[in-house]
Amino acid sequence: MSTVPIGPIHPVLKEPLRIKLVLDGEKPVDAEIEMGYVHRGIEKIMEGKHCHKGIHLAERVCGICSYIHTMTFAECIEHISKIEIPDKARYLRVITCELERIHSHLIASAVYNLSIEHETLAMWLLNVREIVMDLMEMISGNRINMSYNVIGGVRRDINREMMDEIYKKLDEFEEEIKNIIEVFETGPLIALRSKDIGILPYHEVMRTRAVGPVCRASGLPESDWRLRHATYQELDFKPVWRTEGDNFARMMVRHEEVLESVRLIRKALEYYEECSGDIRVKAEIKGGKGVWKNEAHRGEVTYKMEITDGGIIKRIMIRTPTVMNLEAYKYMLKTCPTVADAVSTYTSIDPCISCTERSIYIVKDGKEIPVGVKHP
């Protein structure tokens, strides 16, 4: 047995962590994952701050999927305080959330294609992503951290001219992404490096509690939390899933989810056109405890909060999807023939390290004590 370190700085890693691959000859058999390179302690920083400041911190839990964090933060507060937001705001949240899901999935696919040395397809994906980024900027004024959600609704409305532009750009984008999917499905190099590599069987999904596209590629469509969200139910959302459980299936789930996101945006725009009134309500924030879950682009994201009357955050806990998917990665190594396949399999789970690194543990007398717990 030998050990090969990957990271914390490596060309294929978007964010720093160290993977210690255990090899039997050339074949990976296990992995030890070391984290802690980008910890920022956002949960602790939020404590004692007003929720209007907290929502800006929530947006900085992650860069690529920043929007879903503000949406989940706001909906958790609205759930605790029993705030009903206007229909316009509900549909605008879906539109902007699905635009961000598309941009996240395209980055994930581009990084995966780079890991299997298909640079042409990777650059094509990043170029097509610019269409979506332009729409996000047009709606919110920003390309990444949109600062669009507020408690009680959204910050900016859209007009007829913007709606026409969204429809036009979606038609252009959909044609491009269908061509990309065809290339991915039929490419011999992609098949050689992706099919039957990094398989995660159904029973090991249940053991590791994997979530998001990782989970749905192994036969669990019901894992998508959009099925439980009232607005998505109204829009007749249909989850995308496959059964192969390999790298190819995980990437195809993301590609097909992009097309489902386009459909959802079009339908949300149709419903939006029938709405009247404001895009936000004056929110009276009431104290209490609550939990809210949404389907982030990598899987289930959970916000558990306790707030005071008026909106001071007493305690907040955030669980993001990568922590479960990293555990599943170790099981995928069983069907990785080489170190190169172990690297591409890692990118196929689309890990987000900054999302995951928020927990601090203090070791006292050989025991780990989470921060926020009264020390004995």
Side-chain angles (χ1 to χ4, degrees):
M1 293 287 183
S2 58
T3 302
V4 173
I6 298 173
I9 306 300
H10 187 278
V12 83
L13 299 180
K14 293 181 291 182
E15 298 167 279
L17 87 164
R18 185 189 296 275
I19 303 170
K20 293 182 178 178
L21 279 180
V22 179
L23 306 180
D24 183 1
E26 174 72 6
K27 188 183 184 320
V29 293
D30 198 3
E32 181 184 339
I33 297 173
E34 289 183 359
M35 302 176 68
Y37 295 92
V38 289
H39 179 266
R40 295 162 295 156
I42 281 182
E43 291 174 5
K44 192 65 179 173
I45 296 169
M46 283 188 189
E47 291 179 14
K49 287 183 169 54
H50 194 276
C51 57
H52 290 323
K53 292 184 177 180
I55 197 168
H56 291 288
L57 283 166
E59 191 163 35
R60 284 146 183 84
V61 169
C62 178
I64 294 172
C65 57
S66 58
Y67 182 87
I68 191 65
H69 283 277
T70 63
M71 180 172 161
T72 310
F73 183 99
E75 288 182 345
C76 189
I77 300 272
E78 290 157 4
H79 169 66
I80 294 169
S81 303
K82 296 180 171 55
I83 299 167
E84 291 288 335
I85 70 169
D87 287 342
K88 268 190 170 183
R90 293 195 299 115
Y91 300 130
L92 286 170
R93 280 184 179 179
V94 168
I95 291 164
T96 41
C97 182
E98 293 308 309
L99 283 173
E100 187 184 68
R101 191 181 311 277
I102 292 170
H103 120 75
S104 175
H105 281 352
L106 294 182
I107 288 178
S109 185
V111 172
Y112 177 77
N113 280 284
L114 285 173
S115 75
I116 61 171
E117 300 177 60
H118 202 313
E119 293 187 13
T120 302
L121 192 53
M123 293 301 105
W124 189 4
L125 284 156
L126 292 176
N127 186 54
V128 171
R129 170 178 166 266
E130 287 301 310
I131 299 172
V132 177
M133 303 307 292
D134 289 343
L135 290 178
M136 289 165 63
E137 184 177 9
M138 181 185 71
I139 293 169
S140 70
N142 295 297
R143 285 165 60 87
I144 302 294
N145 286 350
M146 290 190 272
S147 299
Y148 192 65
N149 283 307
V150 293
I151 295 156
V154 295
R155 197 179 296 278
R156 297 173 64 174
D157 204 350
I158 59 175
N159 55 35
R160 181 73 255 177
E161 184 181 347
M162 294 166 73
M163 290 173 64
D164 290 342
E165 183 68 9
I166 294 170
Y167 280 123
K168 177 186 172 183
K169 290 295 185 181
L170 284 180
D171 290 342
E172 178 186 336
F173 171 80
E174 189 173 30
E175 183 179 350
E176 288 279 2
I177 201 65
K178 285 180 177 177
N179 290 334
I180 287 172
I181 292 172
E182 183 181 357
V183 170
F184 190 89
E185 281 188 297
T186 58
L189 166 67
I190 294 167
L192 183 68
R193 292 295 308 275
S194 305
K195 290 184 177 181
D196 298 324
I197 304 293
I199 297 172
L200 183 68
Y202 178 92
H203 67 278
E204 289 180 348
V205 170
M206 302 304 292
R207 181 183 300 171
T208 60
R209 300 295 187 264
V211 293
V214 173
C215 176
R216 291 190 288 281
S218 297
L220 274 86
E222 63 273 16
S223 68
D224 198 316
W225 276 87
R226 287 175 287 180
L227 289 168
R228 302 161 183 81
H229 195 287
T231 309
Y232 281 94
Q233 290 173 346
E234 193 177 332
L235 296 171
D236 193 30
F237 166 71
K238 297 288 191 298
V240 174
W241 62 290
R242 298 173 77 99
T243 57
E244 303 97 316
D246 56 10
N247 291 353
F248 184 83
R250 285 187 283 277
M251 300 318 301
M252 282 304 301
V253 164
R254 292 187 180 93
H255 294 156
E256 290 165 9
E257 280 192 354
V258 165
L259 295 176
E260 176 64 11
S261 292
V262 170
R263 187 192 71 81
L264 286 169
I265 293 167
R266 288 197 180 111
K267 195 158 188 179
L269 283 169
E270 291 172 11
Y271 280 42
Y272 171 86
E273 290 185 68
E274 300 171 3
C275 297
S276 59
D278 295 327
I279 57 170
R280 62 192 289 186
V281 296
K282 188 175 180 180
E284 182 185 351
I285 301 172
K286 300 175 182 177
K289 299 178 181 179
V291 179
W292 196 262
K293 299 182 181 184
N294 272 326
E295 185 66 22
H297 323 319
R298 297 171 175 87
E300 172 197 321
V301 61
T302 303
Y303 272 66
K304 183 177 182 180
M305 300 175 64
E306 181 180 359
I307 58 174
T308 66
D309 287 333
I312 301 298
I313 300 169
K314 293 179 69 177
R315 185 75 177 101
I316 181 167
M317 296 174 65
I318 307 169
R319 191 181 77 166
T320 55
T322 297
V323 68
M324 290 83 80
N325 291 339
L326 280 174
E327 183 64 24
Y329 170 66
K330 298 176 183 179
Y331 292 86
M332 300 173 191
L333 292 174
K334 296 176 183 178
T335 49
C336 291
T338 67
V339 173
D341 293 314
V343 172
S344 63
T345 297
Y346 173 77
T347 64
S348 79
I349 70 173
D350 186 21
C352 180
I353 306 307
S354 66
C355 275
T356 307
E357 294 194 8
R358 291 173 330 283
S359 300
I360 301 175
Y361 280 84
I362 296 172
V363 178
K364 185 175 181 180
D365 299 329
K367 296 181 180 179
E368 290 184 345
I369 306 170
V371 167
V373 175
K374 187 176 180 181
H375 296 183

